Amino acid sequence: MTIARAHLVDPAVTRWYHCTTRCVRRSFLLGEGLLDRKQWLEHRLEELARIFSVSLAGFTVMDNHLHLLVRLDPEAAAAGSDEEVVRRWGRLFPPRDRLRRPLPVSDEWVQGQLKNAAWVATARERLRSLSWFMKCLKEPLSRLANREEKTGGAFFEGRFKSVAILDEESLLATCAYIDLNPVAAGIAEVPEASEHTSIKQRVEHVKEQGRTEDLKAAQAGSVSGSSAAAGLEEGLWLCPIEDRRQLDSTREGMLEGFSLGNYLLLVDYTGRLFREGKAVISAELGAILERLGSSVEDWQARLRMLAGGRLLGRFFAATRSRLREVAQSLGVHRLVNLAGCAAR
């Protein structure tokens, strides 16, 4: 039975969601065409992340589907001025002339829109909406592809799937799963070489800064490792892995005290599990999992379940207590965990 998106996405339950959308009939449409559709989606994601009050923490664009890990930022949406809302909306849907050609977002146009308080309120609400984010991602590519192929009809399946991520451990598992999709599919040997993924964007950003050695040093959970991680993710459009607001940054990250170096170490280990079926756990990695309240066995079982089949379910948590807490807040007896993953 179809469930209204308002009942699936609620910032009061969680701000984090794993979204997936597929091409019609699971056809490999993203790998076809004269236009590089995967690269177009990657550029579009960056553009939308700068316009919407929705942060992107992870993505992978495959031949017939894409995965996104997003965070809703309703407070940022509420804090922006009316003029900022109008200008951001104008970047999405610019004014047009009588021939439907886009026009510049002029001061005169902005002032005219500001006179309509109801319109501004609607635009503000849509700029914080996950549904509108996905609409603005999918619809333009559908039109471009149909125009190129001189055809009509749907390009993507009608609705995207959204899974509520309920705690830090499941958040990290989801991000790693998304980044490891090409490795699990046998398309790439190592995660950081996977095209059209967030992990490649992160590694390339560090290389562009000339800070590869700092990234290696940041894998240690020491004071020196924390110092080496300072500023590694500043300037990148993706949501930072590490939340350093208590240290030296104004940007909200995913996890406090968990650096980009830690994340790459964890993803590399998990990638070897996918490729070889086994991997040696390092002391640093054991300490990372212990800090998260997890274990090697739990992590392996969770990622293998995620990679092993269809992601059935609407909620994902690492603990039963969190599932019970959310079930109680929603007024239901129990919640089934995503893909049947065990919760401790």
Side-chain angles (χ1 to χ4, degrees):
M1 183 179 68
T2 301
I3 301 174
R5 189 69 62 185
H7 297 299
L8 297 174
V9 177
D10 183 357
V13 174
T14 178
R15 294 165 60 204
W16 289 100
Y17 293 87
H18 174 199
C19 301
T20 56
T21 189
R22 294 185 179 276
C23 298
V24 290
R25 298 182 298 279
R26 304 197 178 192
S27 302
F28 297 128
L29 299 180
L30 295 177
E32 298 178 355
L34 299 175
L35 171 72
D36 188 338
R37 295 170 183 175
K38 293 181 180 180
Q39 192 61 53
W40 187 94
L41 281 169
E42 196 168 337
H43 286 316
R44 183 64 170 173
L45 283 169
E46 179 176 355
E47 182 182 23
L48 295 179
R50 297 183 187 279
I51 295 174
F52 278 81
S53 297
V54 176
S55 297
L56 190 68
F59 72 89
T60 291
V61 184
M62 303 291 280
D63 283 337
N64 68 347
H65 68 283
L66 64 138
H67 292 268
L68 307 178
L69 177 60
V70 301
R71 184 188 68 209
L72 306 182
D73 296 325
E75 292 183 2
S81 67
D82 287 354
E83 182 174 346
E84 181 185 354
V85 168
V86 173
R87 291 190 180 279
R88 284 162 60 194
W89 189 262
R91 291 168 62 186
L92 282 174
F93 302 102
R96 294 180 180 271
D97 62 18
R98 292 182 178 179
L99 298 178
R100 300 298 299 157
R101 293 174 300 198
L103 299 172
V105 178
S106 64
D107 291 341
E108 181 182 2
W109 180 82
V110 171
Q111 293 304 315
Q113 300 303 111
L114 285 172
K115 294 176 182 177
N116 189 340
W119 181 92
V120 173
T122 299
R124 186 186 297 275
E125 187 64 30
R126 288 175 176 175
L127 287 172
R128 56 176 278 183
S129 164
L130 181 55
S131 293
W132 272 84
F133 182 95
M134 295 299 291
K135 170 188 170 72
C136 292
L137 176 67
K138 295 163 60 177
E139 279 192 4
L141 180 59
S142 300
R143 294 195 191 98
L144 285 171
N146 285 346
R147 192 178 304 130
E148 180 184 306
E149 297 174 2
K150 296 181 174 58
T151 186
F155 184 88
F156 290 101
E157 291 180 349
R159 281 169 60 91
F160 66 93
K161 179 180 175 64
S162 61
V163 176
I165 310 300
L166 302 180
D167 53 31
E168 289 187 346
E169 191 177 339
S170 57
L171 175 62
L172 191 58
T174 301
C175 197
Y177 164 74
I178 289 173
D179 276 329
L180 284 167
N181 251 248
V183 175
I187 298 171
E189 282 292 317
V190 292
E192 59 270 23
S194 304
E195 295 294 333
H196 311 297
T197 61
S198 47
I199 193 168
K200 182 175 176 62
Q201 283 258 354
R202 295 185 191 280
V203 172
E204 290 299 319
H205 178 70
V206 172
K207 288 180 179 178
E208 288 169 6
Q209 297 179 81
R211 298 189 60 189
T212 304
E213 292 304 314
D214 286 341
L215 181 60
K216 293 178 181 177
Q219 292 178 353
S222 60
V223 174
S224 60
S226 178
S227 299
L232 276 179
E233 300 183 88
E234 292 296 320
L236 181 63
W237 62 274
L238 289 166
C239 171
I241 295 291
E242 184 174 12
D243 189 347
R244 297 180 65 91
R245 287 177 296 171
Q246 299 296 321
L247 298 174
D248 52 24
S249 177
T250 58
R251 298 184 66 194
E252 181 181 0
M254 289 173 59
L255 298 167
E256 193 172 333
F258 187 84
S259 72
L260 175 60
N262 294 153
Y263 177 70
L264 294 180
L265 194 67
L266 187 59
V267 170
D268 177 67
Y269 162 75
T270 312
R272 282 184 280 119
L273 275 180
F274 285 175
R275 290 194 309 272
E276 305 161 17
K278 59 182 179 179
V280 177
I281 187 81
S282 65
E284 293 89 348
L285 190 55
I288 289 170
L289 292 173
E290 184 178 346
R291 208 159 67 232
L292 290 169
S294 186
S295 66
V296 176
E297 293 76 17
D298 285 345
W299 179 262
Q300 289 182 4
R302 191 166 291 114
L303 267 294
R304 281 178 171 146
M305 287 291 290
L306 290 176
R310 295 182 64 192
L311 300 180
L312 300 176
R314 299 190 288 117
F315 300 91
F316 186 26
T319 63
R320 294 189 187 94
S321 61
R322 179 62 176 143
L323 286 170
R324 285 195 294 267
E325 178 187 339
V326 173
Q328 185 176 10
S329 70
L330 296 175
V332 297
H333 292 294
R334 62 190 292 269
L335 297 176
V336 177
N337 213 10
L338 180 69
C341 286
R344 62 179 182 275

